[in-house]
Amino acid sequence: MSSLNSKFSQNISIVHPEFFFIVGLSGLQYSRYYYIFLFMIYFITVIGNSIVLLIIALERSLHSPKYIGVFNLALADIGETNALIPNMMKNFLFDSQYISYNACLANMFFVFLFSSIQSVTLVVLSYDRFIAICLPLRYHALVNNTSMFLIFLAVWAFNSSVMGLMVSLITPLSLCKSNVIQSYFCDHGPVFRLACNDNSINVNIAFLVSALYLVAPLIIIFLSYMGICLALIKITTWQGRLKALKTCFSHLFLVGIYFLPMCCSYIAALLGSLTPNARVISTSLAYVVPPMLNPIIYVLKTAEIKDIIQKVFKNKSAPIRENISK
């Protein structure tokens, strides 16, 4: 009976603030201009990724396993940008820095979900390149539209479950230290550190999420490219090697612009070498710049998409030239 009473008293003592106050950039005179800059990035990101989605959806020649991955990446880019930047605009440009408890948890879930989808999509695309170069004769047997669709369905289900677990483990915490979140959105670490009761499970899941979506993808991508390098050595001519390697350039660019800023900001945070404002700027740029650059890289570095865009512009310019000649 006494144990039941103690459990009941523990449940009663759990404190959930009605609202959180998100700090963002503090003490900077021209911080509004930074948020306007982020809104410009948001605009470019949504337009660029929407164009990529539209091209892949409408062009039948792009209905292939590789472009199912690119479509998924563009979808995650739009999702993450919409989960992050509009809330930042509302909070910091319109002086509405308060967010309700439930809205905060929803914001946390979607930002981390879409970011994790980006990370795993880059791993799946590296798998696609690995099979294409190392096992070209078995490519269509191992990698096809159906298998790629099922892979991404499993990725969305698994990542949703992991992020749902991470967010749900916030609810047993008594967040009574403060209602001030030292970040620019409802970030997981700054929220669970507000707890007065034991948050060790939250610390552990934070390390698990970092390992699953930052460390493990980098290791898998590195190993896949090690295999690709070994396969390239077996190709006798430099022209053949370069032709095979060219198909990986766009993916390597995407890996670099996603993981490098994210790793740098994580390492700097762990070392404690960043001021709060520097952390906000570095992590926000690490989140919002890759989704903006991804469609640009695919347009510039992928011959198929570039050819389709050139054809569209040629078809549109042809009637104009005819009218001028008349």
Side-chain angles (χ1 to χ4, degrees):
M1 186 70 182
S2 60
S3 63
L4 286 173
N5 288 334
S6 64
K7 285 180 182 178
F8 181 74
S9 62
Q10 284 174 4
N11 290 333
I12 290 295
S13 66
I14 291 173
V15 176
H16 291 161
E18 189 177 352
F19 292 95
F20 289 107
F21 181 84
I22 301 177
V23 174
L25 293 171
S26 58
L28 292 181
Q29 188 178 359
Y30 300 108
S31 59
R32 281 175 176 268
Y33 294 109
Y34 179 68
Y35 298 122
I36 292 168
F37 166 68
L38 291 183
F39 181 73
M40 291 167 63
I41 289 178
Y42 169 77
F43 187 75
I44 296 166
T45 300
V46 171
I47 296 294
N49 283 288
S50 297
I51 289 169
V52 170
L53 289 175
L54 198 64
I55 290 170
I56 294 171
L58 296 178
E59 184 58 44
R60 294 185 68 85
S61 64
L62 299 181
H63 294 178
S64 62
K66 176 185 172 182
Y67 286 102
I68 290 173
V70 175
F71 187 93
N72 194 73
L73 185 63
L75 203 63
D77 287 344
I78 291 175
E80 186 203 62
T81 306
N82 276 300
L84 201 58
I85 297 181
N87 273 324
M88 291 177 72
M89 297 301 102
K90 180 177 76 72
N91 291 340
F92 305 118
L93 281 181
F94 300 103
D95 295 323
S96 176
Q97 290 174 254
Y98 287 95
I99 185 170
S100 70
Y101 178 82
N102 289 330
C104 181
L105 295 189
N107 178 242
M108 184 190 299
F109 172 80
F110 285 111
V111 170
F112 280 95
L113 171 64
F114 289 120
S115 181
S116 68
I117 295 292
Q118 289 171 327
S119 174
V120 179
T121 300
L122 291 172
V123 174
V124 176
L125 287 171
S126 73
Y127 162 76
D128 173 80
R129 291 300 84 207
F130 174 81
I131 300 296
I133 293 171
C134 298
L135 301 167
L137 298 178
R138 299 192 61 196
Y139 179 79
H140 293 291
L142 296 172
V143 183
N144 52 59
N145 289 356
T146 303
S147 66
M148 195 62 84
F149 177 79
L150 291 173
I151 286 169
F152 282 117
L153 192 66
V155 166
W156 279 89
F158 178 76
N159 287 16
S160 297
S161 301
V162 172
M163 296 309 154
L165 176 65
M166 183 187 81
V167 172
S168 67
L169 289 173
I170 295 289
T171 55
L173 297 179
S174 185
L175 306 173
C176 53
K177 284 184 180 177
S178 172
N179 71 333
V180 177
I181 298 175
Q182 297 289 339
S183 188
Y184 56 97
F185 75 105
C186 284
D187 201 349
H188 182 243
V191 171
F192 76 68
R193 291 190 193 99
L194 300 176
C196 299
N197 54 349
D198 182 28
N199 63 3
S200 58
I201 191 167
N202 304 90
V203 174
N204 291 333
I205 201 163
F207 279 113
L208 175 65
V209 166
S210 297
L212 272 177
Y213 298 111
L214 195 62
V215 179
L218 275 173
I219 292 170
I220 294 168
I221 291 168
F222 175 76
L223 291 175
S224 68
Y225 274 99
M226 285 290 289
I228 287 169
C229 288
L230 291 173
L232 291 177
I233 291 169
K234 294 176 184 177
I235 299 173
T236 53
T237 63
W238 278 104
Q239 290 87 348
R241 290 174 188 173
L242 191 60
K243 186 179 177 182
L245 195 58
K246 270 185 178 179
T247 64
C248 302
F249 282 162
S250 56
H251 179 257
L252 285 169
F253 273 112
L254 297 181
V255 169
I257 64 170
Y258 178 82
F259 285 105
L260 192 61
M262 204 68 79
C263 288
C264 290
S265 60
Y266 265 87
I267 291 165
L270 288 171
L271 295 174
S273 58
L274 291 178
T275 63
N277 283 339
R279 182 182 177 275
V280 167
I281 291 170
S282 64
T283 54
S284 61
L285 289 176
Y287 271 110
V288 303
V289 171
M292 178 189 71
L293 294 179
N294 287 349
I296 297 169
I297 287 169
Y298 262 103
V299 168
L300 294 177
K301 292 289 180 182
T302 308
E304 296 95 331
I305 292 180
K306 204 183 338 184
D307 290 344
I308 289 164
I309 291 172
Q310 285 172 352
K311 284 177 187 176
V312 169
F313 278 108
K314 280 180 183 177
N315 291 337
K316 284 189 175 182
S317 62
I320 296 169
R321 286 175 187 168
E322 286 176 10
N323 291 332
I324 291 169
S325 62
K326 286 177 184 179

